[in-house]
Amino acid sequence: MSDAEYVSIWMRPERPARGPKPAYSRAQITEAAIRIADTEGLEAATMRRIAAEIGAGAMSLYRYVPSRDDLIALVADRLMGEIDVEGMPSGDWRADLTRYANEVRAMWLRHPWIATVHRSLPGLGPNQLRLIERVMGTLDAHVPIDENLGLMAILTGYVEGTVREEVSAAEELRRSGLSESEWMARSSPRVRQLLESGEYPIFTKIVMEARRPHLSRDEQFRYGLERVLDCIAAALPSTAGPESENPPNP
Amino acid sequence: MSDAEYVSIWMRPERPARGPKPAYSRAQITEAAIRIADTEGLEAATMRRIAAEIGAGAMSLYRYVPSRDDLIALVADRLMGEIDVEGMPSGDWRADLTRYANEVRAMWLRHPWIATVHRSLPGLGPNQLRLIERVMGTLDAHVPIDENLGLMAILTGYVEGTVREEVSAAEELRRSGLSESEWMARSSPRVRQLLESGEYPIFTKIVMEARRPHLSRDEQFRYGLERVLDCIAAALPSTAGPESENPPNP
DNA sequence: CTCCACTGGGTACGTCGTACGCGGTTATGC
DNA sequence: GCATAACCGCGTACGACGTACCCAGTGGAG
């Protein structure tokens, strides 16, 4: 629909110039939404609930934000702001990317509900942009931009993919409103059925491993991350840093 | 809530034994939901809309499915069924994983809205389980299960991460109801602002690259996939297959 | 002082998932 | 063959959602 008034949230100024002083702010609203989402899940962060959280009427929020979707975009970018990439690129790309990966994971674990917001393609928010500049900047000196994008896709794919899996169990649990033991009691009949059928040997191994894991989640993550970084190292020309001996690529 | 009647959708039989013959079926309902989602997006697949699609009353669906969430779980597993992993493991793990990756990507491109459903941790649906057995089976002969899980996390993370990005632009577009040119016209002011500010050199490079890409999306995907497979190869013991020491290149 | 662009917010509408219960239909126990 | 209970499809209704619209009040610009 050609809605002539449409402007991206990132271009829309917080408030027009004239008129009385506003009682609230985008930052305050965003913060309230995050606070609610952290404790009750993102689906509990309704417009009415957020407004109540800051002591406003529901419709007042629309003076600050055009729609709930735009508010979620603000929230997502605010979360990106929690990822500390200060001082990047430092010159040591491997250290930079390791720090970045751990920061992203930590943020996701703090705000598991982030898994339920489907990113709008180029975030284009200030924090998202800052991340792009800092993080992709670490490889920018070594590879052309298209290859940089390809390698970053591997890294962020790994990080988000694994942490998404870590987090979705906890989310599922919270959504269902069950305690962990209740949840186990409910899913275990299905698991037991599958184990006893004998048709799923690999799944059986996975369950056994999950019951007595060799590595903690942190260690698992770090192990995979090292693999991914090795993979990136192999794709870099040999001038690329302290530890690199592999042949370069076209 | 200790809702004593809860049973997982995968354990709940389609219909009880007694009573008159049912007019519809889970498969039919699932199919209708997918048909609607394919043409109008997942959010258009409401219970009423799905019921109308098969000529039923809205509430009739609840005779077949306990809730919309469970229906979505059915839909997701049905989509997994589109991923052809017949004949895996074949003995050539690299060929198997390449095929798997391409199948997953093709499925996502056929059903972009799949990006908006957040997976419940262990799908435990029949097709999901079949995938686990076949795909993880390809590395099972070479590595212990915990390492297999780690390597798979890298592969699926890469595949889902990249295709999610490919797809979310199209989804964003469809959701907004805009034509591509309208969408460009609306986001370009922000992009132009960013380019002209001069503060985002990397972002600028990305935009330039996007305007005249060196590689097609398919080629980008295949390039990254080869890198990931190299990475997996490096983690495998040397007994692991036909081509296991030197990575070939395009 | 007047004006009016702005404020916060109450009311109301359309849509969603779905609880509940109805009259009709059918497989089962006698 | 027949009563009965189990199951059918589905109409109605409820509470919650996002948000369009409208209003009375406010405070800076002229």
Side-chain angles (χ1 to χ4, degrees):
Chain A
M1 314 311 169
S2 4
D3 178 11
E5 303 304 341
Y6 179 94
V7 211
S8 151
I9 181 73
W10 307 115
M11 298 230 59
R12 201 181 286 254
E14 172 140 15
R15 314 314 313 281
R18 286 279 307 275
K21 277 191 290 192
Y24 314 106
S25 71
R26 277 190 191 167
Q28 187 184 2
I29 293 169
T30 305
E31 227 59 48
I34 292 175
R35 213 175 311 126
I36 295 167
D38 280 342
T39 61
E40 304 168 53
L42 185 59
E43 83 278 1
T46 68
M47 296 304 266
R48 291 171 228 257
R49 182 80 179 71
I50 296 168
E53 178 81 9
I54 62 174
M59 293 311 294
S60 303
L61 301 188
Y62 288 92
R63 296 277 170 198
Y64 300 83
V65 151
S67 73
R68 185 170 188 270
D69 280 357
D70 285 295
L71 174 54
I72 300 294
L74 253 19
V75 164
D77 196 70
R78 171 38 252 274
L79 256 36
M80 298 295 173
E82 290 190 14
I83 297 170
D84 180 10
V85 290
E86 213 45 50
M88 289 190 200
S90 72
D92 182 349
W93 65 264
R94 190 151 180 145
D96 284 352
L97 294 187
T98 301
R99 174 149 76 102
Y100 170 65
N102 285 316
E103 286 278 335
V104 170
R105 177 160 176 268
M107 188 273 278
W108 274 61
L109 294 179
R110 274 194 304 273
H111 312 289
W113 44 270
I114 220 260
T116 69
V117 9
H118 42 298
R119 80 165 123 272
S120 53
L121 187 57
L124 295 194
N127 288 311
Q128 173 81 289
L129 285 164
R130 187 180 51 95
L131 248 40
I132 290 175
E133 294 299 317
R134 305 278 208 190
V135 177
M136 295 196 62
T138 64
L139 292 184
D140 192 51
H142 307 111
V143 294
I145 190 65
D146 56 338
E147 203 159 348
N148 196 339
L149 283 166
L151 295 175
M152 272 312 157
I154 298 175
L155 179 68
T156 63
Y158 169 72
V159 173
E160 292 193 7
T162 51
V163 76
R164 184 184 293 269
E165 195 160 348
E166 267 190 77
V167 136
S168 62
E171 269 296 282
E172 177 92 347
L173 211 103
R174 197 199 40 69
R175 269 173 59 90
S176 68
L178 267 41
S179 80
E180 187 161 359
S181 59
E182 281 174 318
W183 190 84
M184 290 279 284
R186 283 180 188 188
S187 61
S188 62
R190 172 67 169 164
V191 172
R192 195 175 318 117
Q193 175 195 32
L194 293 170
L195 295 184
E196 285 170 1
S197 79
E199 291 180 57
Y200 306 97
I202 309 278
F203 176 75
T204 303
K205 281 193 188 183
I206 294 173
V207 172
M208 295 311 172
E209 168 68 20
R211 294 217 237 254
R212 214 177 319 277
H214 291 94
L215 264 46
S216 73
R217 285 203 193 285
D218 282 16
E219 289 166 331
Q220 278 177 49
F221 178 74
R222 270 187 254 282
Y223 168 82
L225 181 58
E226 287 305 316
R227 289 266 158 287
V228 171
L229 293 175
D230 289 347
C231 165
I232 292 176
L236 257 37
S238 48
T239 63
E243 74 291 83
S244 153
E245 71 274 313
N246 279 357
N249 273 310
Chain B
M1 327 290 175
S2 13
D3 178 10
E5 303 305 340
Y6 179 95
V7 212
S8 151
I9 181 72
W10 306 114
M11 297 230 60
R12 200 181 289 253
E14 173 140 15
R15 315 314 313 284
R18 286 283 303 273
K21 276 191 294 190
Y24 314 105
S25 72
R26 275 191 192 167
Q28 186 185 2
I29 294 169
T30 305
E31 227 59 49
I34 292 175
R35 213 176 309 126
I36 295 167
D38 279 342
T39 61
E40 303 166 54
L42 186 60
E43 82 278 1
T46 67
M47 296 305 266
R48 290 171 230 258
R49 181 81 180 70
I50 296 168
E53 177 82 8
I54 62 173
M59 291 313 291
S60 304
L61 300 188
Y62 288 91
R63 295 275 173 200
Y64 299 83
V65 152
S67 74
R68 185 170 189 272
D69 279 357
D70 284 296
L71 175 53
I72 300 294
L74 253 19
V75 164
D77 196 71
R78 173 33 254 277
L79 256 37
M80 298 296 174
E82 290 189 14
I83 297 170
D84 180 11
V85 290
E86 213 44 50
M88 288 190 199
S90 71
D92 182 350
W93 64 265
R94 190 149 181 148
D96 285 352
L97 294 187
T98 302
R99 174 149 78 99
Y100 170 64
N102 285 316
E103 286 279 335
V104 170
R105 178 161 174 266
M107 186 274 277
W108 275 63
L109 294 179
R110 276 194 303 273
H111 311 288
W113 43 269
I114 219 257
T116 68
V117 8
H118 42 296
R119 80 165 126 271
S120 52
L121 186 58
L124 294 195
N127 288 310
Q128 173 81 290
L129 285 164
R130 187 179 51 93
L131 247 41
I132 290 175
E133 293 299 317
R134 305 278 207 190
V135 177
M136 296 197 61
T138 66
L139 291 184
D140 192 51
H142 306 111
V143 295
I145 191 65
D146 57 337
E147 202 158 349
N148 196 341
L149 283 165
L151 296 174
M152 272 314 157
I154 299 175
L155 179 68
T156 64
Y158 170 71
V159 173
E160 292 193 6
T162 51
V163 75
R164 184 184 293 269
E165 195 161 347
E166 269 189 76
V167 136
S168 63
E171 269 295 284
E172 176 92 347
L173 212 103
R174 195 197 43 67
R175 268 173 58 90
S176 68
L178 267 41
S179 78
E180 188 161 357
S181 59
E182 281 175 317
W183 189 84
M184 290 280 284
R186 284 180 187 186
S187 61
S188 63
R190 171 66 169 162
V191 172
R192 196 177 316 116
Q193 174 196 32
L194 293 170
L195 295 184
E196 285 170 1
S197 79
E199 291 181 58
Y200 305 99
I202 309 276
F203 177 74
T204 304
K205 282 192 187 184
I206 294 173
V207 172
M208 296 311 173
E209 169 67 21
R211 294 218 238 254
R212 213 180 321 278
H214 291 93
L215 264 46
S216 73
R217 284 203 192 288
D218 281 15
E219 289 167 331
Q220 277 177 49
F221 178 74
R222 269 187 255 283
Y223 169 82
L225 181 58
E226 288 304 317
R227 287 267 158 288
V228 171
L229 293 176
D230 289 349
C231 166
I232 292 175
L236 258 37
S238 50
T239 62
E243 76 286 83
S244 54
E245 75 268 336
N246 262 349
N249 268 314

